Amino acid sequence: MITDPKDIRYVLAAMESSFIVSITDASGMMTAVNDHFCRVSGYKRDELIGRNHMAVSPKFLAQAAYEQLWNTISEGQVWTGEIKNWNKDGREYWLNLTVVPFVNEQGAVYQHLALGTDITHRKQGEITLSQTLENLRDIENALDESSIVAITDDKGVITYVNAKFCEISKYDREELIGRTHRVINSGFHPKSFFKIMWETIKIGHVWKGEVKNRAKDGSEYWMNTTIVPFLNEDGTPHHFISIRTDITDRVKAETALAERTAQLAKAHDEAINANLTKSQFLANMSHELRTPLNAIIGYSEMLREEAEELGEQMFVDDLTKISKAGNHLLALINDILDISKIEAGKMELLLETYGLSDLIQDVMATIRPLVEAKGNKLMTICEEKGAITTDIMKLRQILINLLSNASKFTSAGSITFEAYGEMRDNKAGYAFRVHDTGIGMTPDQLDKLFQPFTQADASTTRKYGGTGLGLAISRHYSKIMGGDIEVESEFGTGTTFTCWIPDQQQGKWRDSRPQPAVSADEA
């Protein structure tokens, strides 16, 4: 018992600095408060004296709790509890409060002493912990709904599995707890796979990988697995949590895709080899066919000349038909030989320099009879006086093919041939444009235009003949020479082919392509 007044003052000073103290009369009106009460509540002393706790702080206690407190101390009993309060600024704080009633000789309560300690930090920690636990429960529920979860001790012995683990493995929870994951080992992975995994998690690192497992019924399934170690203070694991997702369907799809890709690659290689074999066969057969065919053509022409000298006109007509048929067949064989060489990659360029006007005259001399035979008018536009360095034989064949094609599909119309210099991609070259007023083509027909052995459609082949190789060869030639062929067409109106070939010679060069007309106002 402390009786010395000095000691009593020390005790009161200690209480003053650490406790929130208030004294109320029998009706609950405050008669005294200490400084600590004022600091925590934010009220001045004169704002508190003469008022009860509910008046200065309406949120001091809920009404029911306040009535329970008041009933307890009114009976002369001590009340102890935790309360949440709000200070004058509206900030909340928590108190561990003890209210002691003072009873007189008649047994009536004449005043109360309230002693409180500020436990705000502790309560905030408890609230934070409660929220964290609630979040963890939410995370656990989310994992249980979406993932396959297992927890093991530091030896790898299973201590927990969720329902999805049991569902996919076909094992009951009791069959898994206390065992290791060897129970679902499929035997697919080598021992080194699990050795690396175990070494990773034992040093506290997260391991991720794809694992093939086997269920109780023998079925196999794939898991995308993440194993996270729970570490002691010294960094050693005391538990491991493995979170898995089922990727069986994805792995099956990838496997099927890989097999299909391999099959397609094999088929592609076989197609390439078959195409090369075909090209080599056609090239060899073309040579074998041309030798006797040249002999047939030669003998038919010799016999025709003799028949003409003898005046046997009937034989002359028949031999002429043989000669024409032979030459037509020879042209077809030459086309097949050319396309075979192109596909086999054996086509070579022979560069030479040739006058542009001379080249055009040669082409026109060859093509004019064919054009005029269909009742067409041929117009040539070329102001170039220079020369071009390229494979002249192939360029001549391209131009003849384009003009022959225009003549084939034009009757009693016009064909315009135009040549001019043009720069493309900083390269000097010449453009050769062939425009006709023939039958034209539809967009679908244009899509098939440059495919070997293909014409616009079956009806075109029946009506106009041909093998469909001429344009394919021409485009191949132009690309081999560094150029290209473009086409524009409107069904029923006509077609325009433009072949551009680079000039291989060095030196000065000018662009002389046709310029659009300019009005006087624009000039």
Side-chain angles (χ1 to χ4, degrees):
M1 179 66 68
I2 300 173
T3 57
D4 189 325
K6 182 179 179 182
D7 293 338
I8 292 174
R9 286 196 297 272
Y10 286 146
V11 172
L12 292 174
M15 291 179 61
E16 170 70 24
S17 62
S18 58
F19 284 91
I20 295 169
V21 181
S22 65
I23 298 175
T24 60
D25 61 17
S27 63
M29 296 298 180
M30 286 180 280
T31 58
V33 294
N34 69 342
D35 292 339
H36 196 31
F37 189 109
C38 295
R39 284 195 298 272
V40 173
S41 70
Y43 290 96
K44 296 178 181 179
R45 185 174 274 100
D46 56 8
E47 292 178 301
L48 298 171
I49 300 301
R51 307 178 72 182
N52 63 29
H53 285 279
M54 292 293 288
V56 298
S57 185
K59 298 179 180 179
F60 180 77
L61 276 179
Q63 184 64 34
Y66 183 77
E67 291 177 357
Q68 190 269 336
L69 180 154
W70 188 253
N71 290 335
T72 300
I73 60 177
S74 296
E75 294 174 0
Q77 299 178 11
V78 176
W79 182 90
T80 301
E82 294 179 353
I83 63 171
K84 182 169 70 171
N85 206 357
W86 282 261
N87 64 14
K88 187 177 181 179
D89 295 334
R91 295 193 304 271
E92 69 177 36
Y93 62 95
W94 281 86
L95 295 177
N96 189 349
L97 188 65
T98 299
V99 182
V100 181
F102 289 0
V103 182
N104 59 22
E105 294 177 356
Q106 289 77 33
V109 177
Y110 64 91
Q111 68 177 7
H112 315 91
L113 173 65
L115 298 174
T117 55
D118 188 352
I119 58 170
T120 303
H121 292 305
R122 194 200 79 193
K123 292 297 292 186
Q124 289 175 343
E126 290 176 356
I127 293 171
T128 301
L129 177 61
S130 175
Q131 291 174 343
T132 301
L133 292 174
E134 185 176 350
N135 291 338
L136 287 174
R137 283 192 293 271
D138 291 340
I139 292 172
E140 181 183 2
N141 292 334
L143 285 174
D144 283 341
E145 288 296 323
S146 62
S147 302
I148 298 160
V149 182
I151 298 176
T152 68
D153 62 16
D154 60 338
K155 301 295 189 299
V157 176
I158 299 172
T159 59
Y160 167 83
V161 293
N162 69 344
K164 281 192 174 293
F165 192 110
C166 298
E167 179 183 340
I168 196 167
S169 70
K170 308 293 192 301
Y171 285 97
D172 294 332
R173 185 173 276 103
E174 294 75 17
E175 295 178 289
L176 296 169
I177 302 297
R179 303 179 69 177
T180 67
H181 281 86
R182 291 191 185 93
V183 69
I184 56 171
N185 189 344
S186 65
F188 175 81
H189 302 282
K191 291 182 179 180
S192 58
F193 178 85
F194 295 104
K195 182 175 182 292
I196 294 172
M197 179 189 74
W198 190 251
E199 289 174 348
T200 301
I201 61 177
K202 285 293 286 183
I203 61 174
H205 293 171
V206 175
W207 182 88
K208 296 181 180 180
E210 296 181 353
V211 184
K212 185 178 184 181
N213 293 328
R214 179 177 287 117
K216 185 178 180 179
D217 62 0
S219 60
E220 295 179 335
Y221 57 95
W222 279 88
M223 295 283 102
N224 189 346
T225 303
T226 300
I227 303 177
V228 181
F230 293 163
L231 305 179
N232 296 308
E233 293 182 358
D234 61 358
T236 59
H238 59 82
H239 279 85
F240 304 101
I241 181 170
S242 61
I243 302 171
R244 302 176 174 91
T245 53
D246 186 359
I247 57 170
T248 305
D249 292 340
R250 193 206 79 195
V251 172
K252 287 181 178 178
E254 289 176 349
T255 302
L257 178 60
E259 292 175 354
R260 182 59 177 161
T261 301
Q263 292 172 357
L264 291 175
K266 182 180 178 181
H268 178 262
D269 292 341
E270 290 175 350
I272 290 176
N273 291 333
N275 191 49
L276 289 174
T277 302
K278 180 256 314 181
S279 297
Q280 292 170 357
F281 171 77
L282 289 175
N284 293 334
M285 286 303 298
S286 297
H287 284 295
E288 295 296 327
L289 290 171
R290 283 198 298 181
T291 300
L293 187 57
N294 282 324
I296 292 172
I297 294 171
Y299 280 116
S300 66
E301 290 177 351
M302 290 171 57
L303 290 173
R304 185 187 64 183
E305 291 175 358
E306 291 182 7
E308 287 177 345
E309 292 176 358
L310 295 173
E312 299 288 344
Q313 188 59 40
M314 181 179 66
F315 291 130
V316 171
D317 293 341
D318 290 338
L319 290 169
T320 299
K321 292 178 182 178
I322 294 173
S323 178
K324 285 184 177 180
N327 281 298
H328 179 66
L329 182 57
L330 182 61
L332 295 180
I333 292 174
N334 286 335
D335 284 346
I336 293 173
L337 179 60
D338 286 344
I339 201 72
S340 299
K341 284 182 178 180
I342 291 170
E343 291 179 349
K346 295 181 178 180
M347 185 62 66
E348 297 178 354
L349 294 179
L350 178 61
L351 298 180
E352 56 180 311
T353 301
Y354 203 79
L356 194 63
S357 59
D358 294 335
L359 171 65
I360 294 173
Q361 287 179 8
D362 291 347
V363 171
M364 292 301 129
T366 303
I367 204 68
R368 192 175 296 278
L370 180 62
V371 173
E372 293 176 349
K374 295 289 294 289
N376 295 313
K377 294 181 180 180
L378 178 62
M379 180 170 25
T380 303
I381 302 174
C382 179
E383 298 180 358
E384 292 292 335
K385 303 299 183 184
I388 182 172
T389 300
T390 187
D391 190 319
I392 299 299
M393 291 294 294
K394 290 181 176 57
L395 177 55
R396 183 184 288 111
Q397 185 172 342
I398 291 172
L399 299 181
I400 290 173
N401 279 340
L402 295 180
L403 287 163
S404 298
N405 193 73
S407 179
K408 180 190 297 186
F409 298 106
T410 306
S411 296
S414 64
I415 298 172
T416 303
F417 177 83
E418 190 176 1
Y420 52 87
E422 182 178 341
M423 296 287 292
R424 291 192 184 183
D425 298 328
N426 295 322
K427 294 180 180 178
Y430 289 95
F432 304 91
R433 180 176 294 167
V434 177
H435 173 72
D436 65 63
T437 59
I439 62 175
M441 288 177 282
T442 66
D444 289 340
Q445 291 172 336
L446 283 172
D447 290 339
K448 304 174 184 177
L449 192 59
F450 292 103
Q451 298 177 19
F453 302 101
T454 303
Q455 288 190 335
D457 53 38
S459 62
T460 302
T461 304
R462 287 192 298 268
K463 184 174 182 180
Y464 297 97
T467 60
L469 288 175
L471 290 178
I473 292 173
S474 296
R475 173 169 268 190
H476 278 300
Y477 278 177
S478 64
K479 287 184 176 293
I480 291 171
M481 292 189 288
D484 199 3
I485 295 179
E486 301 161 351
V487 59
E488 297 177 0
S489 185
E490 184 176 347
F491 185 71
T493 301
T495 302
T496 300
F497 285 93
T498 302
C499 172
W500 181 83
I501 300 296
D503 187 359
Q504 303 295 338
Q505 70 179 351
Q506 303 297 319
K508 294 182 179 180
W509 195 89
R510 66 187 184 89
D511 190 332
S512 62
R513 81 183 81 175
Q515 300 299 318
V518 180
S519 66
D521 292 339
E522 291 175 331

